[in-house]
Amino acid sequence: MTRQPLQLLRQTFGYDDFRGSQREIIEEVISGRDALVLMPTGGGKSLCYQLPALVRAGVGIVISPLIALMQDQVAALAQLGVRAGYLNSTLERDAARRVEQALRAGQLDLLYVAPERLTQERTLTLLEHVTIALFAIDEAHCVSQWGHDFRADYLQLNLLQERFPHVPRIALTATADARTRAEIVERLALGNASHYISGFDRPNIQYRITHKRNSRQQLLQLLRHEHGRDAGIVYCRTRKSVGNVATWLQGQGFCALPYHAGLPAEVRQQHQQRFLREDGVIVVATIAFGLGIDKPDVRFVAHLDLPQSVESYYQETGRAGRDGQPATAWMAYGLQDVANMRQLLMGSSGFPEHVRVKLQKLDALLGLCEITTCRRHALLRYFGEHSPDHCGNCDTCLAPVETWDGTIAVQKALSCVYRTGQRFGVNHLIDVLRGKETEKVQQHGHQRIKTYGVGAELDDTQWRSVFRQLVARGYLQVDVAGYGALQVTARSRPLLRGEESISLRRDLPEKAAPRPRRERRERQLAAGDQALFEALRQCRLSIAQEQDVPAYVIFHDATLMDMASSRPLDAAQLLGINGVGRRKLERYGAAFLDVIREFDAAPAVAGPERSGQ
Ligand code: ADP
Ligand code: ZN
């Protein structure tokens, strides 16, 4: 008897119901058709191939570039009683041989394979001799030569269609623009696939972008006030700043580990493992870190430098809150970052067309940074999705931005750039505007030009804000060959001539913690439940350590929170908790029920030191 998808979902995975379009996708693949799935991180893509692989005859082959994660994915499946294995270069010869034997003997439900392994003739021949339920191509955007995750091996995956024409293929990604989608269809020969494009909103993520003053102190404030013991990722642009920030955070008492491509592979591996397995680890990283990081309880992603595009911003911040619990995406940026990023992109190799596209993408990101309306609305619109004007969970919704009429100030700034010959950076321009008779001002005779001293009404910080916004909005450009000199663009002419007015953001010091939205409070358990939650976590930790797997592989935080607040008393009630399936009930039910019972039996006021009050 073949099992029904819903029955499998409940019994094996322990979930009550499908999410979003999971059901349709799963039915499509079960019936043997191809699918292209675009779902945000945390949307539940894995289930879309795991479940059909269990229903269909044979083994599901999952192609993924993320070999570091395969072991944990296989371990998580084993916890559910699913027979899974992986083949990649980290596996010893003997271990690989055992996996291949199990495969031939039809003893696997799922097999994870690295693309370079799959495309070897030897592997293909092996696969031709077994029954294959489906091919799942994870991180399918890796076929795109425009993206920064491009993998040459992915280009060969069209051979799957040639060699296995009757096996359904499902391609999955969280990276979405139309161009990438078209490339996936073309290169993976998915012309007949149904497309499933899910909404991109991640409502549990709070988006906040602030101007950079002292970025370390700003970060520290965020961590101290809101994320004291949480796991998170801090992104920096350079390896050097990764090292510095990690060391500095350690000095502040955080468990912070550096991660970038310049570190030895063992160190990177070890830091990633600790991040996945321990509670409350912060990884300070370049973008080398994170592709497909499958940790559900990352509570914040902080950017100390600008990402390259809205796509990368969304992908990187999307690593927060996969479990659906409240999470923060926070970024601090300043004028210098814009200059650095432009320089990086213009210096990057490639066709002029590629560089031009990259610069446009950076401009779109800067637009998001300077926007005075809802960030989420703007983000979703960028991905072609409609949403309400106000999300209630981004910085501009929580603390509306004040604007001011910057027309006069902008005219002064632009004409100062113009009259000093478009050869100077922001510091000197501000000195001229504010009438500071520095050595440099004298050397160039700038105390004699018309704009000298006309800007006394604003201080340095305010002028900096004006210049940053002008650059971000394309009225000024940074001459990357000329050491950050600012130059006027064609766009600023109407402003200079007084034909256009401009409204600017008023940069206010960041509030410590924006007013929390409902979900934030929901995450807080009642005091008694919180103590039980901690006890349940302890129980989980010791089981996880015994088995040498990440804690979330046993149960997610959300599942433990559910247990703590609803306090199931027997197996049947425990089975009703989201995330508890049959297999886990058998293995761990007793241990967790014991913790709950003990806790309920203990006197309400624990500890003799309290009783005398
Ligand atoms: P993605 O690969 O799309 O980023 P995952 O497949 O890792 O997302 O799923 C994200 C989280 O959601 C996981 O913790 C997963 O167990 C959970 N999940 C997936 N589908 C469901 C569902 N139908 N009900 C409850 N939780 C789900
Ligand atoms: Zn908003």
Side-chain angles (χ1 to χ4, degrees), residues 374-376 390-394 396-397:
C374 175
R375 305 243 195 234
R376 185 183 315 275
H390 279 269
C391 75
N393 197 24
C394 74
T396 45
C397 282

CSV table of all heavy atoms in Angstrom, one decimal, residues 374-376 390-394 396-397, ligand 2:
chain,number,residue,atom,x,y,z
A,374,CYS,N,8.0,52.0,3.8
A,374,CYS,CA,8.2,50.6,4.3
A,374,CYS,C,9.3,49.8,3.5
A,374,CYS,O,9.2,49.7,2.3
A,374,CYS,CB,6.9,49.9,4.3
A,374,CYS,SG,7.0,48.2,4.7
A,375,ARG,N,10.2,49.3,4.3
A,375,ARG,CA,11.3,48.5,3.6
A,375,ARG,C,10.8,47.2,3.0
A,375,ARG,O,11.2,46.8,1.9
A,375,ARG,CB,12.4,48.2,4.6
A,375,ARG,CG,12.9,49.3,5.4
A,375,ARG,CD,14.4,49.5,5.1
A,375,ARG,NE,15.0,50.4,6.0
A,375,ARG,CZ,15.6,51.5,5.7
A,375,ARG,NH1,15.9,51.9,4.5
A,375,ARG,NH2,16.1,52.3,6.7
A,376,ARG,N,9.9,46.6,3.7
A,376,ARG,CA,9.5,45.3,3.2
A,376,ARG,C,8.7,45.5,1.9
A,376,ARG,O,8.9,44.7,1.0
A,376,ARG,CB,8.6,44.6,4.3
A,376,ARG,CG,8.1,43.2,4.0
A,376,ARG,CD,7.2,42.6,5.0
A,376,ARG,NE,7.7,42.9,6.3
A,376,ARG,CZ,8.6,42.1,7.0
A,376,ARG,NH1,9.0,41.0,6.4
A,376,ARG,NH2,9.0,42.4,8.2
A,390,HIS,N,2.3,49.3,4.5
A,390,HIS,CA,2.9,49.3,5.8
A,390,HIS,C,3.0,47.8,6.3
A,390,HIS,O,2.0,47.2,6.4
A,390,HIS,CB,2.1,50.1,6.8
A,390,HIS,CG,2.3,51.5,6.7
A,390,HIS,ND1,3.3,52.2,7.4
A,390,HIS,CD2,1.7,52.4,5.9
A,390,HIS,CE1,3.2,53.5,7.1
A,390,HIS,NE2,2.3,53.6,6.1
A,391,CYS,N,4.2,47.4,6.7
A,391,CYS,CA,4.3,46.0,7.2
A,391,CYS,C,4.2,46.0,8.7
A,391,CYS,O,3.9,44.9,9.3
A,391,CYS,CB,5.6,45.4,6.7
A,391,CYS,SG,7.1,45.9,7.6
A,392,GLY,N,4.6,47.1,9.4
A,392,GLY,CA,4.5,47.1,10.8
A,392,GLY,C,5.7,46.4,11.4
A,392,GLY,O,5.8,46.3,12.7
A,393,ASN,N,6.6,45.9,10.7
A,393,ASN,CA,7.8,45.2,11.2
A,393,ASN,C,9.1,45.5,10.5
A,393,ASN,O,9.9,44.7,10.2
A,393,ASN,CB,7.5,43.7,11.2
A,393,ASN,CG,8.5,43.0,12.2
A,393,ASN,OD1,9.0,43.5,13.1
A,393,ASN,ND2,8.7,41.7,11.9
A,394,CYS,N,9.3,46.8,10.2
A,394,CYS,CA,10.6,47.3,9.7
A,394,CYS,C,10.8,48.6,10.4
A,394,CYS,O,9.9,49.2,11.0
A,394,CYS,CB,10.5,47.4,8.2
A,394,CYS,SG,9.6,48.9,7.6
A,396,THR,N,11.2,51.7,9.3
A,396,THR,CA,10.5,52.9,8.9
A,396,THR,C,9.0,52.8,9.3
A,396,THR,O,8.4,53.8,9.6
A,396,THR,CB,10.6,53.1,7.4
A,396,THR,OG1,10.4,51.9,6.7
A,396,THR,CG2,11.9,53.7,7.0
A,397,CYS,N,8.5,51.5,9.4
A,397,CYS,CA,7.1,51.4,9.9
A,397,CYS,C,7.1,51.6,11.4
A,397,CYS,O,6.1,52.2,11.9
A,397,CYS,CB,6.5,50.0,9.6
A,397,CYS,SG,6.0,49.8,7.9
B,2,ZN,ZN,7.5,48.2,7.0
